Amino acid sequence: MSDSSRDTALGAGWGAAELGTYDRLMPARVERLSWLDPRMLWAARNGVLASWFGDPTGRTRSRWVARRAAAGAPADKVIRREVPERFSFMVIGDTGEGGASQYAVVPGFLKASQDTEFAVIASDVVYPAGEADGYGGKFFQPYQDYPAPIYAIPGNHDWYEDLGAFMRVFCADTPPLDPEPRSRPLTGAWWRSLLWHRPRPTDEGRLAEARSLRSAPAQQAVQPGPYWAIDAGPVRIVGIDTGLLGTVDAEQGTWLREVSRGPKPKILVTGSPLYVDGEHHPCPIEGGGTVDDIVRDPGHHYVAAIGGDIHNYQRYPVAVDGRTIQYLVAGGGGAFMHATHTIPRVSVAGVTEKEFRCYPLRGDSLAFYSRLYGRRLGLRRFFSLTETDATAVVAERLGIEPGRAPGPDARVTRRTRLVAGLLGTGRRPDRPARFRLPVRKIYTQLFSPSSATHEPPFFKCFLRLDVTEDAVRLRCFAATGKRAQEVEPPVEDEVVIPLPTARAD
């Protein structure tokens, strides 16, 4: 087994190791996304408009679901797959950036996914706005050599063009919805409609050519809608659509409660993680209750909840009524890296630093950002920290044992402490900052999106779940962009989840 980032700095992708071969898989012409480009932000404006003038995604989703039902999709939205007694599947989140950081994941993903039955994309298949013309280079081409079906749940970016392209690709070429009636002038709905980003015309020839890259019968997957369940062997995998604002509409909530009943062990896949950055986000359901209420209900037998949206890996083993539910963030499949060094010392729902896991390690995250902003601001001598010094200063600020030993040459100086503070490194709860700035929010919304780089290390990740009658073995694999991690993807985290005995539903 190759070294992981918990073993050595080389295992994390630092150093002068041989670069990977992922660039051979990339299109000849790659559109480089800039997450601070005003044109891209304007194309992705629908989330802001929904928060200001009311979120229409529940109504739009209901219309999509009705159209799929009229076309013969199963009413219970359950996909029933025949699988061996022991089987495996993949989960990869927030994939669709289309550049080096997405394609760097592909060689290791193909290696680790051998003999799996299917894969699930958890959120944001295509950036920046879910447009149909993006599916060629951001879905069909990178995964053309994955031989099994790929299912998906949409993320907020897939909703920026009202989910039309997603429904065509994953839901049996569902035709576009008819325009809704106009709203009364000067109402919130009227302003929203006036400013709303509309789907762009689809280049049908381009989409057909893209589809041909994954045209083998064994690769085909047809979903009953944007939310669904898969019955496979002893488990039920439940995928939900949290739309633009990370919420669930009443109709989907009713379905979720119904599909969650019964003794079969269940795994939730959602576009909005329920635990993230040391906080609990239970995900409200229109009309009352939360998604996490359903997950925690002992009669529903959930063993894990996996969320995309945040572009890194985190795991919180939460004790609930005498059992443990594994809550995971798994959005590191291709887009820019969200910082982990800004996560404060974890103490939530009984989970402490001892049980918490994340990737990249906080020290690697801080080293990555210090070098990035040192380069961009022309202040390398001041900002840039070695991975060793970054690991040491994170451990000091949080009062924790580092995930990787920092080494004998680690130095924590006034400069490293200052850089760590300027770049938002978390702190111990008993040592609050002198000035309470919304640093983590700033990093999530501003600094992290500008972290998109086009050279290693990328700190990407994906999951493999191996299912038996008794347990699910879940492993988080890393992709750095270096050749060693392509040949043998390192395991950054592993947990075996026992399954309760399930009777036939």
mmCIF file of all heavy atoms in Angstrom, residues 64-102:
data_model
loop_
_atom_site.group_PDB
_atom_site.id
_atom_site.type_symbol
_atom_site.label_atom_id
_atom_site.label_comp_id
_atom_site.label_asym_id
_atom_site.label_seq_id
_atom_site.Cartn_x
_atom_site.Cartn_y
_atom_site.Cartn_z
ATOM 1 N N TRP A 64 -40.706 18.501 -12.924
ATOM 2 C CA TRP A 64 -39.829 17.495 -13.513
ATOM 3 C C TRP A 64 -40.259 16.086 -13.098
ATOM 4 O O TRP A 64 -40.304 15.159 -13.925
ATOM 5 C CB TRP A 64 -38.387 17.725 -13.080
ATOM 6 C CG TRP A 64 -37.637 18.827 -13.761
ATOM 7 C CD1 TRP A 64 -37.051 19.899 -13.176
ATOM 8 C CD2 TRP A 64 -37.363 18.952 -15.167
ATOM 9 N NE1 TRP A 64 -36.426 20.691 -14.110
ATOM 10 C CE2 TRP A 64 -36.602 20.130 -15.346
ATOM 11 C CE3 TRP A 64 -37.697 18.182 -16.277
ATOM 12 C CZ2 TRP A 64 -36.167 20.557 -16.598
ATOM 13 C CZ3 TRP A 64 -37.252 18.595 -17.529
ATOM 14 C CH2 TRP A 64 -36.509 19.768 -17.684
ATOM 15 N N VAL A 65 -40.565 15.911 -11.808
ATOM 16 C CA VAL A 65 -40.955 14.599 -11.301
ATOM 17 C C VAL A 65 -42.259 14.141 -11.957
ATOM 18 O O VAL A 65 -42.409 12.965 -12.335
ATOM 19 C CB VAL A 65 -41.084 14.644 -9.764
ATOM 20 C CG1 VAL A 65 -41.756 13.384 -9.235
ATOM 21 C CG2 VAL A 65 -39.704 14.822 -9.126
ATOM 22 N N ALA A 66 -43.195 15.062 -12.122
ATOM 23 C CA ALA A 66 -44.466 14.712 -12.773
ATOM 24 C C ALA A 66 -44.228 14.297 -14.223
ATOM 25 O O ALA A 66 -44.865 13.355 -14.728
ATOM 26 C CB ALA A 66 -45.420 15.896 -12.702
ATOM 27 N N ARG A 67 -43.328 14.972 -14.901
ATOM 28 C CA ARG A 67 -43.041 14.615 -16.293
ATOM 29 C C ARG A 67 -42.409 13.227 -16.378
ATOM 30 O O ARG A 67 -42.737 12.443 -17.275
ATOM 31 C CB ARG A 67 -42.128 15.669 -16.914
ATOM 32 C CG ARG A 67 -41.697 15.346 -18.333
ATOM 33 C CD ARG A 67 -41.260 16.584 -19.084
ATOM 34 N NE ARG A 67 -42.414 17.424 -19.402
ATOM 35 C CZ ARG A 67 -42.357 18.488 -20.216
ATOM 36 N NH1 ARG A 67 -41.208 18.814 -20.787
ATOM 37 N NH2 ARG A 67 -43.421 19.200 -20.467
ATOM 38 N N ARG A 68 -41.529 12.899 -15.446
ATOM 39 C CA ARG A 68 -40.924 11.563 -15.456
ATOM 40 C C ARG A 68 -41.958 10.496 -15.122
ATOM 41 O O ARG A 68 -41.943 9.400 -15.695
ATOM 42 C CB ARG A 68 -39.769 11.494 -14.441
ATOM 43 C CG ARG A 68 -38.546 12.251 -14.875
ATOM 44 C CD ARG A 68 -37.853 11.595 -16.084
ATOM 45 N NE ARG A 68 -37.274 10.301 -15.736
ATOM 46 C CZ ARG A 68 -37.502 9.171 -16.397
ATOM 47 N NH1 ARG A 68 -38.316 9.148 -17.438
ATOM 48 N NH2 ARG A 68 -36.917 8.059 -16.020
ATOM 49 N N ALA A 69 -42.879 10.801 -14.203
ATOM 50 C CA ALA A 69 -43.929 9.841 -13.862
ATOM 51 C C ALA A 69 -44.820 9.581 -15.073
ATOM 52 O O ALA A 69 -45.204 8.429 -15.350
ATOM 53 C CB ALA A 69 -44.748 10.358 -12.690
ATOM 54 N N ALA A 70 -45.151 10.635 -15.817
ATOM 55 C CA ALA A 70 -45.984 10.474 -17.011
ATOM 56 C C ALA A 70 -45.284 9.645 -18.075
ATOM 57 O O ALA A 70 -45.941 8.985 -18.890
ATOM 58 C CB ALA A 70 -46.351 11.841 -17.560
ATOM 59 N N ALA A 71 -43.949 9.645 -18.041
ATOM 60 C CA ALA A 71 -43.180 8.861 -19.009
ATOM 61 C C ALA A 71 -42.970 7.422 -18.556
ATOM 62 O O ALA A 71 -42.311 6.641 -19.252
ATOM 63 C CB ALA A 71 -41.832 9.531 -19.252
ATOM 64 N N GLY A 72 -43.507 7.064 -17.375
ATOM 65 C CA GLY A 72 -43.436 5.680 -16.918
ATOM 66 C C GLY A 72 -42.404 5.385 -15.859
ATOM 67 O O GLY A 72 -42.154 4.215 -15.540
ATOM 68 N N ALA A 73 -41.790 6.412 -15.268
ATOM 69 C CA ALA A 73 -40.835 6.165 -14.176
ATOM 70 C C ALA A 73 -41.571 5.559 -12.987
ATOM 71 O O ALA A 73 -42.742 5.889 -12.741
ATOM 72 C CB ALA A 73 -40.160 7.467 -13.759
ATOM 73 N N PRO A 74 -40.934 4.668 -12.228
ATOM 74 C CA PRO A 74 -41.623 4.023 -11.101
ATOM 75 C C PRO A 74 -42.077 5.045 -10.067
ATOM 76 O O PRO A 74 -41.340 5.989 -9.744
ATOM 77 C CB PRO A 74 -40.566 3.078 -10.519
ATOM 78 C CG PRO A 74 -39.254 3.579 -11.041
ATOM 79 C CD PRO A 74 -39.540 4.197 -12.359
ATOM 80 N N ALA A 75 -43.276 4.853 -9.542
ATOM 81 C CA ALA A 75 -43.855 5.815 -8.605
ATOM 82 C C ALA A 75 -43.032 5.931 -7.329
ATOM 83 O O ALA A 75 -42.962 7.014 -6.733
ATOM 84 C CB ALA A 75 -45.295 5.425 -8.283
ATOM 85 N N ASP A 76 -42.420 4.818 -6.890
ATOM 86 C CA ASP A 76 -41.636 4.871 -5.652
ATOM 87 C C ASP A 76 -40.216 5.385 -5.873
ATOM 88 O O ASP A 76 -39.464 5.562 -4.919
ATOM 89 C CB ASP A 76 -41.599 3.505 -4.971
ATOM 90 C CG ASP A 76 -40.956 2.412 -5.834
ATOM 91 O OD1 ASP A 76 -40.466 2.734 -6.941
ATOM 92 O OD2 ASP A 76 -40.935 1.248 -5.395
ATOM 93 N N LYS A 77 -39.857 5.606 -7.160
ATOM 94 C CA LYS A 77 -38.541 6.150 -7.529
ATOM 95 C C LYS A 77 -37.388 5.267 -7.047
ATOM 96 O O LYS A 77 -36.298 5.757 -6.743
ATOM 97 C CB LYS A 77 -38.381 7.581 -7.027
ATOM 98 C CG LYS A 77 -39.457 8.526 -7.552
ATOM 99 C CD LYS A 77 -39.380 9.889 -6.940
ATOM 100 C CE LYS A 77 -40.542 10.758 -7.413
ATOM 101 N NZ LYS A 77 -41.880 10.183 -7.096
ATOM 102 N N VAL A 78 -37.610 3.973 -6.985
ATOM 103 C CA VAL A 78 -36.593 3.027 -6.539
ATOM 104 C C VAL A 78 -36.033 2.290 -7.754
ATOM 105 O O VAL A 78 -36.778 1.728 -8.554
ATOM 106 C CB VAL A 78 -37.159 2.022 -5.521
ATOM 107 C CG1 VAL A 78 -36.089 0.998 -5.140
ATOM 108 C CG2 VAL A 78 -37.662 2.746 -4.278
ATOM 109 N N ILE A 79 -34.718 2.318 -7.873
ATOM 110 C CA ILE A 79 -33.990 1.569 -8.901
ATOM 111 C C ILE A 79 -33.559 0.252 -8.268
ATOM 112 O O ILE A 79 -32.861 0.237 -7.254
ATOM 113 C CB ILE A 79 -32.761 2.359 -9.372
ATOM 114 C CG1 ILE A 79 -33.167 3.741 -9.896
ATOM 115 C CG2 ILE A 79 -31.978 1.571 -10.414
ATOM 116 C CD1 ILE A 79 -32.028 4.730 -9.957
ATOM 117 N N ARG A 80 -33.986 -0.842 -8.838
ATOM 118 C CA ARG A 80 -33.671 -2.161 -8.266
ATOM 119 C C ARG A 80 -32.592 -2.828 -9.101
ATOM 120 O O ARG A 80 -32.808 -3.169 -10.260
ATOM 121 C CB ARG A 80 -34.939 -3.012 -8.177
ATOM 122 C CG ARG A 80 -35.935 -2.443 -7.171
ATOM 123 C CD ARG A 80 -37.299 -3.088 -7.204
ATOM 124 N NE ARG A 80 -38.115 -2.585 -6.094
ATOM 125 C CZ ARG A 80 -38.830 -1.453 -6.144
ATOM 126 N NH1 ARG A 80 -38.822 -0.725 -7.251
ATOM 127 N NH2 ARG A 80 -39.541 -1.058 -5.095
ATOM 128 N N ARG A 81 -31.421 -3.003 -8.485
ATOM 129 C CA ARG A 81 -30.271 -3.555 -9.192
ATOM 130 C C ARG A 81 -29.949 -4.954 -8.672
ATOM 131 O O ARG A 81 -29.903 -5.179 -7.460
ATOM 132 C CB ARG A 81 -29.040 -2.663 -9.015
ATOM 133 C CG ARG A 81 -29.145 -1.311 -9.716
ATOM 134 C CD ARG A 81 -27.780 -0.647 -9.761
ATOM 135 N NE ARG A 81 -26.797 -1.478 -10.446
ATOM 136 C CZ ARG A 81 -26.587 -1.474 -11.761
ATOM 137 N NH1 ARG A 81 -27.291 -0.664 -12.531
ATOM 138 N NH2 ARG A 81 -25.689 -2.264 -12.299
ATOM 139 N N GLU A 82 -29.733 -5.856 -9.604
ATOM 140 C CA GLU A 82 -29.266 -7.191 -9.255
ATOM 141 C C GLU A 82 -27.749 -7.139 -9.100
ATOM 142 O O GLU A 82 -27.030 -6.779 -10.033
ATOM 143 C CB GLU A 82 -29.654 -8.191 -10.344
ATOM 144 C CG GLU A 82 -31.149 -8.404 -10.493
ATOM 145 C CD GLU A 82 -31.767 -9.066 -9.265
ATOM 146 O OE1 GLU A 82 -31.056 -9.856 -8.602
ATOM 147 O OE2 GLU A 82 -32.934 -8.770 -8.967
ATOM 148 N N VAL A 83 -27.267 -7.455 -7.926
ATOM 149 C CA VAL A 83 -25.833 -7.391 -7.654
ATOM 150 C C VAL A 83 -25.392 -8.694 -7.006
ATOM 151 O O VAL A 83 -26.219 -9.439 -6.456
ATOM 152 C CB VAL A 83 -25.494 -6.198 -6.723
ATOM 153 C CG1 VAL A 83 -25.829 -4.877 -7.397
ATOM 154 C CG2 VAL A 83 -26.200 -6.326 -5.387
ATOM 155 N N PRO A 84 -24.085 -9.009 -7.040
ATOM 156 C CA PRO A 84 -23.589 -10.199 -6.339
ATOM 157 C C PRO A 84 -23.806 -10.086 -4.829
ATOM 158 O O PRO A 84 -24.117 -9.011 -4.299
ATOM 159 C CB PRO A 84 -22.097 -10.211 -6.684
ATOM 160 C CG PRO A 84 -21.953 -9.336 -7.871
ATOM 161 C CD PRO A 84 -23.025 -8.313 -7.778
ATOM 162 N N GLU A 85 -23.621 -11.177 -4.137
ATOM 163 C CA GLU A 85 -23.781 -11.178 -2.680
ATOM 164 C C GLU A 85 -22.845 -10.169 -2.018
ATOM 165 O O GLU A 85 -23.206 -9.500 -1.053
ATOM 166 C CB GLU A 85 -23.515 -12.586 -2.136
ATOM 167 C CG GLU A 85 -23.766 -12.733 -0.648
ATOM 168 C CD GLU A 85 -23.586 -14.158 -0.179
ATOM 169 O OE1 GLU A 85 -23.652 -15.073 -1.012
ATOM 170 O OE2 GLU A 85 -23.384 -14.358 1.036
ATOM 171 N N ARG A 86 -21.647 -10.035 -2.549
ATOM 172 C CA ARG A 86 -20.704 -8.999 -2.139
ATOM 173 C C ARG A 86 -20.492 -8.081 -3.329
ATOM 174 O O ARG A 86 -20.178 -8.546 -4.425
ATOM 175 C CB ARG A 86 -19.361 -9.612 -1.712
ATOM 176 C CG ARG A 86 -19.437 -10.480 -0.471
ATOM 177 C CD ARG A 86 -18.144 -11.251 -0.275
ATOM 178 N NE ARG A 86 -18.159 -12.005 0.975
ATOM 179 C CZ ARG A 86 -17.563 -11.625 2.087
ATOM 180 N NH1 ARG A 86 -16.865 -10.491 2.106
ATOM 181 N NH2 ARG A 86 -17.625 -12.359 3.173
ATOM 182 N N PHE A 87 -20.671 -6.793 -3.133
ATOM 183 C CA PHE A 87 -20.519 -5.873 -4.252
ATOM 184 C C PHE A 87 -19.929 -4.559 -3.749
ATOM 185 O O PHE A 87 -19.859 -4.298 -2.547
ATOM 186 C CB PHE A 87 -21.857 -5.629 -4.952
ATOM 187 C CG PHE A 87 -22.774 -4.675 -4.237
ATOM 188 C CD1 PHE A 87 -22.829 -3.330 -4.607
ATOM 189 C CD2 PHE A 87 -23.579 -5.105 -3.186
ATOM 190 C CE1 PHE A 87 -23.669 -2.447 -3.944
ATOM 191 C CE2 PHE A 87 -24.415 -4.222 -2.523
ATOM 192 C CZ PHE A 87 -24.459 -2.886 -2.905
ATOM 193 N N SER A 88 -19.520 -3.719 -4.700
ATOM 194 C CA SER A 88 -18.902 -2.439 -4.367
ATOM 195 C C SER A 88 -19.459 -1.352 -5.269
ATOM 196 O O SER A 88 -19.893 -1.610 -6.396
ATOM 197 C CB SER A 88 -17.386 -2.512 -4.537
ATOM 198 O OG SER A 88 -16.832 -3.560 -3.757
ATOM 199 N N PHE A 89 -19.438 -0.120 -4.769
ATOM 200 C CA PHE A 89 -19.785 1.029 -5.599
ATOM 201 C C PHE A 89 -18.950 2.226 -5.181
ATOM 202 O O PHE A 89 -18.343 2.250 -4.110
ATOM 203 C CB PHE A 89 -21.293 1.335 -5.538
ATOM 204 C CG PHE A 89 -21.798 1.846 -4.211
ATOM 205 C CD1 PHE A 89 -21.983 3.210 -3.984
ATOM 206 C CD2 PHE A 89 -22.128 0.961 -3.180
ATOM 207 C CE1 PHE A 89 -22.468 3.681 -2.773
ATOM 208 C CE2 PHE A 89 -22.622 1.421 -1.969
ATOM 209 C CZ PHE A 89 -22.788 2.785 -1.756
ATOM 210 N N MET A 90 -18.915 3.232 -6.048
ATOM 211 C CA MET A 90 -18.104 4.425 -5.842
ATOM 212 C C MET A 90 -18.993 5.629 -5.558
ATOM 213 O O MET A 90 -20.123 5.697 -6.053
ATOM 214 C CB MET A 90 -17.243 4.720 -7.076
ATOM 215 C CG MET A 90 -16.384 3.575 -7.557
ATOM 216 S SD MET A 90 -15.117 3.066 -6.366
ATOM 217 C CE MET A 90 -14.000 4.477 -6.452
ATOM 218 N N VAL A 91 -18.457 6.579 -4.803
ATOM 219 C CA VAL A 91 -19.096 7.879 -4.615
ATOM 220 C C VAL A 91 -18.030 8.944 -4.842
ATOM 221 O O VAL A 91 -16.933 8.867 -4.269
ATOM 222 C CB VAL A 91 -19.701 8.035 -3.206
ATOM 223 C CG1 VAL A 91 -20.262 9.453 -3.027
ATOM 224 C CG2 VAL A 91 -20.793 7.001 -2.963
ATOM 225 N N ILE A 92 -18.356 9.924 -5.671
ATOM 226 C CA ILE A 92 -17.432 11.017 -5.970
ATOM 227 C C ILE A 92 -18.258 12.290 -6.074
ATOM 228 O O ILE A 92 -19.316 12.305 -6.697
ATOM 229 C CB ILE A 92 -16.637 10.716 -7.262
ATOM 230 C CG1 ILE A 92 -15.618 11.814 -7.541
ATOM 231 C CG2 ILE A 92 -17.545 10.475 -8.445
ATOM 232 C CD1 ILE A 92 -14.626 11.455 -8.645
ATOM 233 N N GLY A 93 -17.809 13.355 -5.421
ATOM 234 C CA GLY A 93 -18.629 14.548 -5.328
ATOM 235 C C GLY A 93 -18.031 15.773 -5.979
ATOM 236 O O GLY A 93 -16.808 15.945 -6.023
ATOM 237 N N ASP A 94 -18.908 16.645 -6.513
ATOM 238 C CA ASP A 94 -18.513 17.966 -7.021
ATOM 239 C C ASP A 94 -17.386 17.850 -8.045
ATOM 240 O O ASP A 94 -16.310 18.405 -7.887
ATOM 241 C CB ASP A 94 -18.114 18.864 -5.853
ATOM 242 C CG ASP A 94 -19.278 19.110 -4.905
ATOM 243 O OD1 ASP A 94 -19.536 18.234 -4.048
ATOM 244 O OD2 ASP A 94 -19.942 20.140 -5.042
ATOM 245 N N THR A 95 -17.695 17.140 -9.105
ATOM 246 C CA THR A 95 -16.674 16.742 -10.069
ATOM 247 C C THR A 95 -16.408 17.762 -11.165
ATOM 248 O O THR A 95 -15.272 17.929 -11.598
ATOM 249 C CB THR A 95 -17.104 15.435 -10.742
ATOM 250 O OG1 THR A 95 -18.437 15.603 -11.264
ATOM 251 C CG2 THR A 95 -17.109 14.275 -9.755
ATOM 252 N N GLY A 96 -17.446 18.459 -11.636
ATOM 253 C CA GLY A 96 -17.458 18.988 -12.980
ATOM 254 C C GLY A 96 -16.779 20.287 -13.281
ATOM 255 O O GLY A 96 -17.375 21.159 -13.906
ATOM 256 N N GLU A 97 -15.523 20.456 -12.910
ATOM 257 C CA GLU A 97 -14.813 21.683 -13.260
ATOM 258 C C GLU A 97 -14.171 21.591 -14.634
ATOM 259 O O GLU A 97 -13.953 22.600 -15.297
ATOM 260 C CB GLU A 97 -13.762 22.008 -12.199
ATOM 261 C CG GLU A 97 -13.242 23.422 -12.299
ATOM 262 C CD GLU A 97 -12.565 23.890 -11.017
ATOM 263 O OE1 GLU A 97 -13.252 24.020 -9.997
ATOM 264 O OE2 GLU A 97 -11.351 24.136 -11.058
ATOM 265 N N GLY A 98 -13.845 20.368 -15.057
ATOM 266 C CA GLY A 98 -13.380 20.170 -16.417
ATOM 267 C C GLY A 98 -11.909 20.423 -16.663
ATOM 268 O O GLY A 98 -11.430 20.241 -17.780
ATOM 269 N N GLY A 99 -11.153 20.831 -15.658
ATOM 270 C CA GLY A 99 -9.731 21.128 -15.834
ATOM 271 C C GLY A 99 -8.846 20.074 -15.206
ATOM 272 O O GLY A 99 -9.257 18.936 -14.951
ATOM 273 N N ALA A 100 -7.621 20.477 -14.911
ATOM 274 C CA ALA A 100 -6.631 19.541 -14.394
ATOM 275 C C ALA A 100 -7.055 18.929 -13.073
ATOM 276 O O ALA A 100 -6.824 17.740 -12.824
ATOM 277 C CB ALA A 100 -5.282 20.248 -14.234
ATOM 278 N N SER A 101 -7.695 19.707 -12.200
ATOM 279 C CA SER A 101 -8.056 19.174 -10.890
ATOM 280 C C SER A 101 -9.111 18.085 -10.992
ATOM 281 O O SER A 101 -9.164 17.194 -10.138
ATOM 282 C CB SER A 101 -8.544 20.298 -9.969
ATOM 283 O OG SER A 101 -9.721 20.892 -10.471
ATOM 284 N N GLN A 102 -9.967 18.110 -12.019
ATOM 285 C CA GLN A 102 -10.921 17.015 -12.220
ATOM 286 C C GLN A 102 -10.242 15.813 -12.865
ATOM 287 O O GLN A 102 -10.393 14.677 -12.402
ATOM 288 C CB GLN A 102 -12.100 17.455 -13.081
ATOM 289 C CG GLN A 102 -13.078 16.293 -13.354
ATOM 290 C CD GLN A 102 -14.316 16.690 -14.135
ATOM 291 O OE1 GLN A 102 -14.436 17.806 -14.617
ATOM 292 N NE2 GLN A 102 -15.263 15.773 -14.242
#
